[in-house]
Amino acid sequence: MTDTTAAPPAPEGDIVPETGIRIIAQFLRDFSFESPHAPDSLRGGAQPAIDMGVEMNARGRTDGLFEVDLKLSARATREDQPVFHVEVVYGGLFQIGGVPEADLEPVLLIECPRFLFPFARRLIADVTSEGGFPPFLIDPIDFAGVYAARKAQAEGQAVGNA
């Protein structure tokens, strides 16, 4: 999920906010769109079934900053045939200040993805539209709920394996 212990404090000379999140950079790390049966899949018919995936990852860097990746994927199928598959890994470089160590992981895996989400969502809407489909607009994501579910799942696996 996250590696938060590797990052030392920011180097001297950098301005670190007393408490807060500063976005240093945003970037597209990976992007893929497939529509294997186009143009036949563009014809009307039954509404496709959509399977969504959401992942968040974070890691500390030696310069005191944190890289956070938000991975969104959507796979549309109709009658067991693929309609389209889109995957976006959208990243951000963040400076976090004034956050206790115990609260760092939730900040990295809840708050930082909230900043990245609108940009990744727009990319998916644009590429599905360019692929000949109506824009696929992902509903807002409850990152706190996703984080809590993944944390509970990880703790359940750790208890089950012990």
Side-chain angles (χ1 to χ4, degrees):
M1 273 180 128
T2 183
D3 172 19
T4 59
T5 58
E12 289 184 31
D14 282 356
I15 298 172
V16 178
E18 286 189 27
T19 300
I21 301 170
R22 181 172 170 221
I23 303 169
I24 305 298
Q26 293 178 211
F27 48 91
L28 184 59
R29 190 178 298 276
D30 189 21
F31 189 52
S32 171
F33 177 78
E34 299 171 20
S35 181
H37 298 290
D40 295 334
S41 61
L42 301 175
R43 293 189 210 166
Q47 246 342 69
I50 308 254
D51 182 32
M52 279 290 307
V54 178
E55 292 180 34
M56 298 93 61
N57 292 297
R59 71 176 185 86
R61 296 168 30 122
T62 58
D63 59 4
L65 302 175
F66 295 90
E67 287 183 38
V68 177
D69 286 337
L70 172 61
K71 180 179 178 182
L72 299 176
S73 62
R75 183 179 304 274
T77 57
R78 183 183 300 130
E79 299 171 5
D80 294 328
Q81 292 292 316
V83 176
F84 69 80
H85 180 223
V86 61
E87 184 174 283
V88 173
V89 179
Y90 196 79
L93 184 62
F94 293 88
Q95 185 176 42
I96 313 283
V99 175
E101 185 73 28
D103 296 335
L104 190 55
E105 184 177 90
V107 167
L108 291 169
L109 296 176
I110 297 171
E111 298 306 322
C112 293
R114 283 184 186 157
F115 287 114
L116 301 174
F117 175 73
F119 301 95
R121 179 182 192 250
R122 182 191 51 82
L123 289 168
I124 289 174
D126 288 350
V127 76
T128 54
S129 177
E130 291 294 326
F133 301 96
F136 179 60
L137 297 172
I138 299 173
D139 289 336
I141 295 172
D142 176 11
F143 290 104
V146 172
Y147 173 77
R150 300 253 166 94
K151 191 91 166 157
Q153 181 183 18
E155 288 172 0
Q157 288 177 350
V159 171
N161 292 337

